[in-house]
Amino acid sequence: MDKRTAVVTGGIGGLGTAICIALASAGRRVVAADLGGDRQRIDGFLRRVEGLDVRFSELDATDFDACGAFVEALEAAGEGPDILVNAAGITRDTTLRKMDRAQWDAVLSVNLDSVFNLCRHAVDGMVARGFGRIVNISSVNGQTGQFGQTNYSAAKAGMHGFTMALAREVARKGVTVNSVSPGYCETAMVMAIPEEIRQGIVDRVPVGRLGRPDEVARVVAFLSDDDAGYITGANIPVNGGLYMGF
Ligand code: CAA
């Protein structure tokens, strides 16, 4: 069988990089799709994935047409995509009473619209080939809500609804759609939370520490496996026990 191609949006971010490494280590050809612009950040990423079948491709996942052209180019090269991991995400934390429209739009657009943009273009090829694995990186805060995150919690909860609906639509076509909900992990996004607030959160995590990005990535690799075909419409929490629920 041909090597499967995995696209990871937000691929050079904190979780994205770990996901790229895990998928490449599982034998995938990985395309890390992320914003260009910051050469230092891109070079740092490329150093971390050196020796693995991972390449960087500039993509603004909020741009519907750019996502279409990106998927079309992969298809033309016979490179799937077979696996799509939607990991592009940003925060603009502030209470609703202080939130402006731009903070709402930015978070909804990067975290949720991007999922539509990529899935909309990638799903036809997956259905035609009779195989696809879509994994949406949501968040514990999409399950519980978080103070200061009406925008982010709404986007992340929205990903769950999207995941379940699309899972139903493509279940008979060999395509699975699942979400993973990380808790607080050792990423720049979490390290940007003021120290005393972050410590207060860690104190409430039953496991007693932040998660490691590779602890999230291994679940993504598991869900992307050819043998994971009976898991669809599911959400797998990786949150150190911060939220336990069905
Ligand atoms: N619950 C209840 N009340 C709270 C609170 C909380 N968690 N945090 C603050 N408050 C209270 C304050 O005590 C204060 O009360 P008073 O007005 O009576 O004094 C009031 O709410 C306003 O608080 P602030 O002035 O601190 O509000 P702010 O707007 O300056 O700051 C904030 C708000 C920026 C959101 C800050 O609380 C914060 O950074 N919180 C962390 C948010 C967070 O966890 N983000 C996750 C980012 S990482 C991520 O998202 C990855 C992932 O998926 C897990």
Side-chain angles (χ1 to χ4, degrees):
M1 188 214 315
D2 282 354
K3 194 169 191 176
R4 296 207 186 277
T5 301
V7 166
V8 183
T9 71
I12 71 176
L15 294 181
T17 301
I19 292 167
C20 289
I21 292 171
L23 291 175
S25 304
R28 312 311 188 183
R29 174 191 302 116
V30 179
V31 183
D34 209 319
L35 294 177
D38 187 342
R39 198 60 238 180
Q40 234 180 329
R41 184 168 176 256
I42 297 166
D43 288 342
F45 168 77
L46 292 174
R47 275 193 297 277
R48 285 194 61 192
V49 298
E50 215 173 316
L52 295 169
D53 189 353
V54 179
R55 68 176 191 259
F56 170 72
S57 186
E58 183 172 342
L59 178 70
D60 178 354
T62 68
D63 183 336
F64 181 73
D65 292 335
C67 291
F70 169 77
V71 170
E72 212 174 289
L74 288 173
E75 281 176 348
E79 297 184 328
D82 310 295
I83 297 164
L84 169 63
V85 183
N86 289 299
I90 59 165
T91 53
R92 294 288 181 271
D93 292 358
T94 189
T95 54
L96 182 72
R97 296 173 71 190
K98 295 182 195 164
M99 189 176 293
D100 61 31
R101 181 72 208 201
Q103 291 168 317
W104 173 264
D105 286 340
V107 169
L108 269 289
S109 161
V110 175
N111 293 276
L112 189 56
D113 290 353
S114 65
V115 177
F116 169 77
N117 293 344
L118 266 304
C119 289
R120 177 65 187 86
H121 291 295
V123 80
D124 284 344
M126 291 179 176
V127 166
R129 292 185 293 274
F131 179 88
R133 297 282 180 265
I134 297 174
V135 183
N136 295 322
I137 306 302
S138 183
S139 165
V140 65
N141 293 342
Q143 299 175 283
T144 63
Q146 171 60 284
F147 186 98
Q149 286 198 311
T150 49
N151 48 6
Y152 187 85
S153 298
K156 293 302 192 183
M159 287 171 84
H160 292 304
F162 181 99
T163 296
M164 294 185 287
L166 181 58
R168 288 181 190 277
E169 292 180 15
V170 294
R172 306 243 168 141
K173 310 291 183 188
V175 181
T176 66
V177 191
N178 294 289
S179 56
V180 174
S181 290
Y184 286 73
C185 295
E186 293 162 359
T187 60
M189 185 186 274
V190 168
M191 292 332 251
I193 304 170
E195 160 76 32
E196 67 284 2
I197 295 180
R198 192 173 64 244
Q199 192 51 52
I201 293 168
V202 173
D203 289 344
R204 292 200 305 278
V205 177
V207 170
R209 61 169 173 84
L210 295 173
R212 295 193 317 268
D214 64 281
E215 292 175 309
V216 175
R218 70 199 304 272
V219 178
V220 177
F222 169 76
L223 290 171
S224 313
D225 202 90
D226 281 31
D227 291 339
Y230 207 61
I231 308 172
T232 198
N235 172 56
I236 303 194
V238 187
N239 62 26
L242 182 58
Y243 172 66
M244 301 179 190
F246 292 102

